[in-house]
Amino acid sequence: MQLSLLRSTLLAVGFYVVAGGKLFLHSKSDDCGKGFDSLNEGSQKYFDTLKVLWSHPSHLEQFGVFEAELKCWYSFLLTTKCGGMPSAADSRKKELTATCADPAAGWMPIWKSFSQAEVDWFKRTYPNDAEDSFATADYREAANTALQLNKKEMLCMTLFVIDDNCVDSMYIRTNP
């Protein structure tokens, strides 16, 4: 009898912890914007064309591996209208396209292409703020991992979306 009661109690506690955890996860603010499935068809097609930014031989498959996180960040960018960042395509698109397509180039030249306002906005909004340095940025381990393993590509993706007027066509514009 006591063993049965103990099992029932443990089962109930386990259910409560699991259910509570799921409720907590769903009740947290969503840093994926309105979600990829809520984007219009043209914006969804644009996302598919971003795969060209994953040009490094060791990163080719990571677009698919991290697709959920990439869609989340992309949806956030579009939902927030890229934080109001203006396109700088006229001044940086040619060099950005060349650097993003060059498998030998690292992420730092891309980071240096960000304006100060873009740097500040990215730091405040990309969900990899484990130290809680920015009150507005959340932390998701998958988002942090996607950024750490694909930093150049993620930064390229962010700038291309901003420079394409926060996506006003169905295809990434790689020609300046």
Side-chain angles (χ1 to χ4, degrees):
M1 176 77 168
Q2 285 182 329
L3 188 57
S4 179
L5 181 61
L6 180 62
R7 282 187 203 153
S8 297
T9 303
L10 288 174
L11 184 61
V13 169
F15 177 77
Y16 178 77
V17 169
V18 170
K22 286 185 179 183
L23 289 173
F24 175 75
L25 288 173
H26 291 299
S27 67
K28 274 188 82 167
S29 63
D30 183 11
D31 51 6
C32 294
K34 62 183 180 179
F36 186 81
D37 292 336
S38 297
L39 299 176
N40 67 51
E41 186 179 343
S43 295
Q44 290 181 12
K45 285 183 179 180
Y46 180 99
F47 175 81
D48 291 335
T49 67
L50 289 169
K51 188 173 185 172
V52 301
L53 300 174
W54 273 254
S55 61
H56 192 280
S58 69
H59 294 191
L60 295 175
E61 299 302 320
Q62 291 185 26
F63 186 84
V65 170
F66 293 106
E67 184 174 0
E69 287 305 318
L70 299 176
K71 283 181 174 179
C72 180
W73 177 239
Y74 176 76
S75 299
F76 179 83
L77 287 169
L78 271 56
T79 301
T80 62
K81 297 184 182 0
C82 297
M85 297 295 135
S87 172
D90 292 341
S91 63
R92 72 176 166 208
K93 190 61 137 317
K94 184 177 183 177
E95 186 175 333
L96 179 65
T97 299
T99 307
C100 289
D102 181 359
W107 64 270
M108 189 54 81
I110 307 302
W111 185 242
K112 288 180 179 181
S113 296
F114 277 64
S115 69
Q116 189 58 52
E118 291 165 339
V119 166
D120 294 342
W121 183 76
F122 187 86
K123 286 180 176 181
R124 283 193 325 270
T125 57
Y126 191 82
N128 71 330
D129 187 21
E131 293 82 29
D132 204 22
S133 301
F134 306 96
T136 56
D138 259 335
Y139 182 79
R140 282 194 334 270
E141 186 59 43
N144 184 55
T145 302
L147 181 63
Q148 294 309 313
L149 295 178
N150 299 276
K151 191 171 285 188
K152 175 187 166 189
E153 293 83 359
M154 294 290 289
L155 297 175
C156 287
M157 175 177 135
T158 302
L159 287 185
F160 268 96
V161 169
I162 291 170
D163 287 351
D164 286 345
N165 299 308
C166 209
V167 181
D168 62 1
S169 72
M170 294 190 302
Y171 307 99
I172 187 172
R173 292 189 200 104
T174 54
N175 292 328

